[in-house]
Amino acid sequence: MLGRMIRAAALSLLPLLAAALPAQKTLAELQQRFVKESQALDAAADQRQRDGGDASSAREQRDALLARHTEELRAFVTGVAAGDDRWNGRLMLADLLLARRDREAATAALRGIDSKEAPALLLATAATMAQHLGLKPLRDEWVAAARGKDAPLADRLAMARLLMTVLREIPAGDEVFAKALAAAGDDEQRAFVRWHKADALRDREDLPENAGFEELDKLARDLPKTYWGGVAMDRLRATQLVRGDAAIDFRAPTLGGGEFALADCRGKVVVVAFLSVGDRDLPQLLALVRELRARHGDRLAVCGISLDRDAATVAAARQPLGLDLPLVCDGKGTQTDAALRWFAEGPAVHVIDRAGKVAALGLHAGTEDARAELAAAVDAAVKAP
């Protein structure tokens, strides 16, 4: 649990890691290049596996790719990195080195972060890694420095979450939330702060499991007309959805300039697929969706909702992956509006019937049986009177 939260803390600051060759001038460019190489390697490995190839060869290639990415990133942070890329890059480098089980090198990478220059949220995130590595003096130095810096509201709330959970500095986290709530100028800002505190409580291991949901319920009741109050209301409903319930509505722009609205699809069966371009099951899902669209034509609508935190990488991956469906992708990952409302924190497929009611929930395409279940759910919904 702790290791997952530490890695999640690092990745909340940095989009997905991955690959390339020519020199990049920014960390974002380097990350996008890494992603493309990793995706290409995974696709080739999957094809070899389907062809009966050797799995050990794929592992060796992944290890080699990780080693190359590590060295390229090391060269970047010690050479061309500028601005906050110097510190973000070192944090990313430490994460890669930990993946290679090189704790000494990861420690050295972390020590290169300047607490006077690095932003508050990055320091709090780096402190979680220092804590994991047993570097208590460094961890304490960074926590103190982070708490003493000015930061945008969203960063302060994310930092409070880390303080209350991974770093176990609960009074400090409470103080950040309390100050942010006191400084809120209107109900929208108050709802925003309360939402993030409720979400932080959900990850508190010292509290009952429903503590975060109780806070969401209070938010939904107290501030129902605010954006975050409405999201809280939908998120709570998502935890109780069953077949036959009205689906949770959403409307969002899609890549390419269009828009997808669930309410506009009445009269059609809708497949809502929360997905990630890094998900190894995505090619199978897309192949099945193509079959279903060919079989049912305009009686079926499909919408993909990206859970990725790098919209540029998703856009670049559309053609190679065959992502030829309406795709909502704003680079907010699980914080995108539809994902928040549907409580989607990982890939999942839902089927909505022609009346806008839930026909099936939480399906996937990772196995032959799962694909058959998804196809059957869509076929049944299309045929239903």
Side-chain angles (χ1 to χ4, degrees), residues 322-363:
L323 253 170
D324 58 348
L325 47 84
L327 184 64
V328 174
C329 179
D330 56 13
K332 295 181 180 178
T334 57
Q335 297 296 301
T336 195
D337 180 72
L340 287 169
R341 294 180 186 278
W342 277 86
F343 203 173
E345 297 190 318
V349 182
H350 309 312
V351 181
I352 314 302
D353 69 18
R354 289 181 292 172
K357 298 183 182 298
V358 173
L361 288 167
L363 304 181

Side-chain angles (χ1 to χ4, degrees), residues 152-226:
L153 177 59
D155 283 7
R156 281 185 279 131
L157 298 182
M159 184 174 72
R161 182 192 188 104
L162 292 179
L163 289 167
M164 294 182 74
T165 55
V166 185
L167 293 167
R168 301 188 184 92
E169 298 263 1
I170 294 171
D174 271 330
E175 182 183 352
V176 175
F177 279 123
K179 286 182 176 179
L181 193 59
D186 55 31
D187 281 349
E188 285 293 346
Q189 286 190 359
R190 280 185 278 275
F192 181 61
V193 175
R194 289 180 61 178
W195 162 269
H196 282 279
K197 183 172 182 179
D199 213 34
L201 293 181
R202 184 164 63 96
D203 282 342
R204 287 265 300 273
E205 295 180 343
D206 61 319
L207 295 177
E209 288 186 6
N210 64 339
F213 293 105
E214 288 178 354
E215 285 297 311
L216 279 185
D217 184 58
K218 292 176 185 176
L219 168 58
R221 292 173 185 273
D222 292 347
L223 299 169
K225 295 183 179 180
T226 63

Side-chain angles (χ1 to χ4, degrees), residues 11-357:
L11 295 183
S12 70
L13 205 58
L14 308 166
L16 288 173
L17 312 180
L21 285 176
Q24 262 68 44
K25 295 181 180 179
T26 70
L27 184 61
E29 291 173 343
L30 192 67
Q31 289 172 303
Q32 288 175 22
R33 189 160 61 79
F34 282 0
V35 169
K36 290 178 183 178
E37 279 194 1
S38 294
Q39 288 173 342
L41 183 63
D42 285 343
D46 288 343
Q47 185 60 54
R48 281 197 303 274
Q49 187 174 14
R50 288 192 290 271
D51 294 340
D54 183 8
S56 63
S57 173
R59 284 193 297 271
E60 290 172 359
Q61 289 182 345
R62 287 193 189 95
D63 288 345
L65 186 62
L66 178 58
R68 179 161 66 80
H69 289 173
T70 302
E71 293 313 309
E72 289 186 7
L73 183 56
R74 193 196 307 274
F76 174 81
V77 298
T78 58
V80 300
D84 286 346
D85 276 1
R86 293 170 294 170
W87 326 123
N88 287 320
R90 287 185 178 277
L91 187 58
M92 180 176 167
L93 177 60
D95 192 58
L96 287 183
L97 290 164
L98 284 175
R100 297 181 64 192
R101 299 181 177 85
D102 192 341
R103 295 171 66 91
E104 184 177 346
T107 297
L110 283 178
R111 289 189 183 280
I113 296 174
D114 188 332
S115 62
K116 293 181 180 179
E117 294 194 37
L121 179 55
L122 185 139
L123 287 175
T125 306
T128 67
M129 280 196 178
Q131 177 173 282
H132 179 63
L133 290 166
L135 307 173
K136 189 176 186 306
L138 189 60
R139 175 254 193 224
D140 292 347
E141 174 193 334
W142 283 343
V143 168
R147 292 183 63 192
K149 286 176 178 279
D150 290 331
L153 177 59
D155 283 7
R156 281 185 279 131
L157 298 182
M159 184 174 72
R161 182 192 188 104
L162 292 179
L163 289 167
M164 294 182 74
T165 55
V166 185
L167 293 167
R168 301 188 184 92
E169 298 263 1
I170 294 171
D174 271 330
E175 182 183 352
V176 175
F177 279 123
K179 286 182 176 179
L181 193 59
D186 55 31
D187 281 349
E188 285 293 346
Q189 286 190 359
R190 280 185 278 275
F192 181 61
V193 175
R194 289 180 61 178
W195 162 269
H196 282 279
K197 183 172 182 179
D199 213 34
L201 293 181
R202 184 164 63 96
D203 282 342
R204 287 265 300 273
E205 295 180 343
D206 61 319
L207 295 177
E209 288 186 6
N210 64 339
F213 293 105
E214 288 178 354
E215 285 297 311
L216 279 185
D217 184 58
K218 292 176 185 176
L219 168 58
R221 292 173 185 273
D222 292 347
L223 299 169
K225 295 183 179 180
T226 63
Y227 170 77
W228 288 101
V231 169
M233 209 176 306
D234 283 342
R235 194 176 183 92
L236 288 167
R237 193 159 72 85
T239 66
Q240 302 172 11
L241 278 180
V242 296
R243 183 177 177 181
D245 286 347
I248 296 170
D249 196 21
F250 66 90
R251 178 182 297 270
T254 57
L255 289 182
E259 183 181 70
F260 186 91
L262 193 57
D264 293 344
C265 296
R266 294 292 171 84
K268 297 183 179 183
V269 172
V270 185
V271 172
V272 178
F274 292 94
L275 54 85
S276 169
V277 296
D279 181 14
R280 302 188 74 176
D281 296 337
L282 182 58
Q284 290 91 329
L285 173 62
L286 295 176
L288 176 58
V289 166
R290 282 191 286 272
E291 291 178 18
L292 292 170
R293 293 170 84 183
R295 184 151 72 231
H296 298 300
D298 61 7
R299 293 175 294 177
L300 179 67
V302 182
C303 179
I305 300 169
S306 170
L307 301 178
D308 299 284
R309 295 187 63 85
D310 186 348
T313 296
V314 175
R318 290 194 74 184
Q319 184 174 352
L321 287 172
L323 253 170
D324 58 348
L325 47 84
L327 184 64
V328 174
C329 179
D330 56 13
K332 295 181 180 178
T334 57
Q335 297 296 301
T336 195
D337 180 72
L340 287 169
R341 294 180 186 278
W342 277 86
F343 203 173
E345 297 190 318
V349 182
H350 309 312
V351 181
I352 314 302
D353 69 18
R354 289 181 292 172
K357 298 183 182 298

